[in-house]
């Protein structure tokens, strides 16, 4: 069964520093992978998605992620953190057989220190 | 374009009481999803509709939960009776039919339910 694991429930970085949020997936077939962001008291917003095209995917707000099949990873990065990036980030894998649903990781809370 | 609308935003009830949540998806979106998000967890799918048909309700606790989407537009999720463990944020999302493999889901702000 497909699943995702997010390493680190909390990540704290300084403003201007590199942001790295880790996501590993488990899938017996090529997956579709997503990163969503959730700001306090709001719904989830799509940051970027991998759908078997380019392995380096660029998203909104300066975020990008690289699909690495050999490492079964889809880590999210941003070169320079901004205070407005403070939020909860969720990695998700799309089950494309059967139920065709998103399966989310447990989330990583990103804190930005001034 | 208006996003996914949910109401109420917050609900506090006592256990054993009924509660209902309402969702209006983005206009033209055929697919509607209800998710439950427990504190500190990612969302988990409860039910998915294609127009008015529930095509995946395998994770819906059918003894107390029910949902409907009578005209294929807005939807209602009901819990009767509520239990303490139902405290969570209930998220509604919608998407176009398109290619089901990767069509983007748009989420509403959610309803935060507290059961006392």
């Amino acid at each position: 069964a497909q699943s995702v694991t997010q390493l680190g429930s909390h990540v704290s970085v300084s403003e201007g520093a590199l942001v790295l949020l880790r996501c590993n997936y488990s899938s017996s077939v090529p997956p579709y992978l997503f990163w969503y962001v959730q700001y306090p008291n709001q719904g989830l917003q799509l940051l970027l998605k991998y759908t078997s095209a380019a392995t380096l995917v660029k998203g909104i707000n300066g975020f990008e992620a690289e699909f690495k099949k050999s490492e079964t990873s889809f880590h999210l990065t941003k070169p320079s953190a901004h205070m407005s990036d403070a939020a909860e980030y969720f990695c998700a894998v799309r089950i494309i057989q059967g139920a065709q649903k998103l399966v989310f990781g447990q989330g990583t809370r990103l804190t930005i220190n001034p | 374009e208006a996003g996914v609308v949910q109401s109420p935003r917050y609900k506090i009830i006592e256990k054993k009481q009924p509660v209902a949540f309402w969702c209006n998806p983005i206009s033209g979106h055929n697919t509607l999803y209800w998710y439950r998000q427990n504190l500190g967890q990612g969302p988990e799918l409860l039910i998915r509709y294609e127009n008015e048909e529930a095509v995946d309700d395998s994770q819906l606790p059918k003894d107390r939960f029910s949902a409907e989407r009578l005209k294929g537009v807005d939807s209602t999720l009901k819990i009767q009776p509520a239990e303490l463990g139902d405290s969570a944020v209930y998220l509604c999302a919608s998407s176009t039919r398109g290619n089901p493999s990767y069509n983007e889901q748009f989420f509403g702000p959610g309803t935060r339910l507290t059961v006392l």
Side-chain angles (χ1 to χ4, degrees):
Chain A
Q2 280 102 333
S3 66
V4 290
T5 302
Q6 293 185 239
L7 301 177
S9 58
H10 290 89
V11 170
S12 181
V13 302
S14 298
E15 190 175 18
L18 171 71
V19 175
L20 171 60
L21 304 182
R22 300 177 186 274
C23 173
N24 288 88
Y25 69 90
S26 173
S27 176
S28 58
V29 297
Y32 295 125
L33 295 159
F34 305 80
W35 276 99
Y36 281 84
V37 60
Q38 186 176 32
Y39 298 102
N41 299 315
Q42 295 187 29
L44 281 73
Q45 180 183 6
L46 181 68
L47 274 178
L48 49 81
K49 61 187 177 186
Y50 167 75
T51 57
S52 73
T55 57
L56 181 62
V57 181
K58 294 185 182 299
I60 61 172
N61 301 338
F63 284 93
E64 63 181 35
E66 186 172 8
F67 173 73
K68 292 187 176 180
K69 183 178 179 180
S70 61
E71 299 177 6
T72 62
S73 68
F74 190 57
H75 302 330
L76 181 70
T77 60
K78 182 174 180 177
S80 177
H82 192 272
M83 295 299 291
S84 61
D85 295 327
E88 188 93 18
Y89 291 80
F90 293 94
C91 183
V93 62
R94 181 123 199 171
I95 294 177
I96 59 175
Q97 298 169 339
Q100 297 184 357
K101 63 183 182 183
L102 282 174
V103 176
F104 287 87
Q106 292 194 317
T108 298
R109 181 170 298 279
L110 176 64
T111 302
I112 311 297
N113 302 312
Chain B
E1 176 183 87
V4 177
V5 179
Q6 291 188 249
S7 68
R9 291 294 312 277
Y10 305 91
K11 189 73 176 180
I12 301 174
I13 61 172
E14 294 187 346
K15 63 180 180 181
K16 300 185 181 180
Q17 295 299 306
V19 64
F21 315 123
W22 176 80
C23 171
N24 190 286
I26 293 173
S27 178
H29 282 194
N30 305 97
T31 308
L32 184 145
Y33 313 76
W34 282 103
Y35 289 86
R36 177 169 58 189
Q37 185 178 18
N38 293 316
L39 186 65
Q41 304 285 324
E44 295 179 316
L45 182 70
L46 291 174
I47 189 168
R48 174 170 69 98
Y49 281 93
E50 293 290 347
N51 297 308
E52 65 274 10
E53 181 183 2
V55 295
D56 181 4
D57 62 355
S58 57
Q59 300 302 311
L60 189 71
K62 297 181 181 63
D63 57 335
R64 297 184 300 105
F65 285 67
S66 64
E68 61 183 16
R69 193 185 185 199
L70 294 176
K71 296 183 179 180
V73 182
D74 55 349
S75 175
T76 303
L77 178 68
K78 299 178 181 178
I79 309 175
Q80 183 171 10
E83 297 179 351
L84 294 177
D86 296 331
S87 294
V89 176
Y90 291 83
L91 295 166
C92 179
S94 69
S95 65
T96 56
R97 182 165 302 184
N99 183 330
S101 296
Y102 59 83
N103 54 329
E104 179 180 350
Q105 294 183 25
F106 293 83
F107 284 80
T111 297
R112 182 178 298 276
L113 173 67
T114 302
V115 182
L116 302 176

